[in-house]
Amino acid sequence: MTPAELRALCLEFNAAVEEFPFTPETSVFKVLGKVFALSALDAEPLKVNLKCDPEEALRLRAEHAAIAPGWHMNKRHWNTLTVAELPDVLVRELVEDSYDLVVAGLPKAERLRLDRP
């Protein structure tokens, strides 16, 4: 997956936006003000931080050397993926899971507006 493909994937979800609150190099993808993905899209290798269920995070780290505890994040709830070392299908699935976890924490009225019960 290329940086452009990762950016497009993150922005295809309802109400997803890209912001740069830390540095111009760090893309922060949010839904209704809540972060679901962070990436320095110009970095080599391409990495992305994604929110993850704590038990699932441990399982993924055990199964994939390219998935580590979230860099500069709460390591219980965030993973850092080295994108090129993982199948695109898995990266897509984990980005969607991250988005869904963040949306699940939103108030019900906002979730319903996003068509994500």
Side-chain angles (χ1 to χ4, degrees):
M1 181 174 295
T2 67
E5 290 169 333
L6 179 60
R7 173 184 276 129
L9 172 63
C10 290
L11 292 173
E12 75 182 24
F13 298 103
N14 292 343
V17 297
E18 179 181 22
E19 296 180 357
F20 302 89
F22 306 118
T23 68
E25 296 82 27
T26 304
S27 294
V28 178
F29 298 95
K30 297 180 177 183
V31 56
L32 300 181
K34 303 292 184 182
V35 177
F36 70 92
L38 296 95
S39 180
L41 294 171
D42 294 335
E44 277 293 326
L46 177 61
K47 295 184 179 195
V48 63
N49 283 0
L50 299 172
K51 191 160 189 160
C52 192
D53 172 78
E55 289 181 21
E56 180 73 0
L58 293 173
R59 184 188 67 75
L60 288 165
R61 292 173 200 164
E63 291 179 7
H64 303 277
I67 300 179
W71 188 67
H72 285 300
M73 304 297 284
N74 179 329
K75 290 164 183 19
R76 184 165 188 261
H77 295 278
W78 289 83
N79 279 337
T80 298
L81 285 63
T82 303
V83 175
E85 297 176 22
L86 296 166
D88 286 0
V89 172
L90 179 60
V91 174
R92 289 178 189 281
E93 178 183 305
L94 295 177
V95 170
E96 183 172 5
D97 287 352
S98 181
Y99 176 88
D100 286 343
L101 274 171
V102 171
V103 168
L106 295 172
K108 185 176 181 179
E110 291 179 351
R111 286 195 314 269
L112 293 174
R113 260 195 349 230
L114 295 170
D115 295 327
R116 296 288 233 220

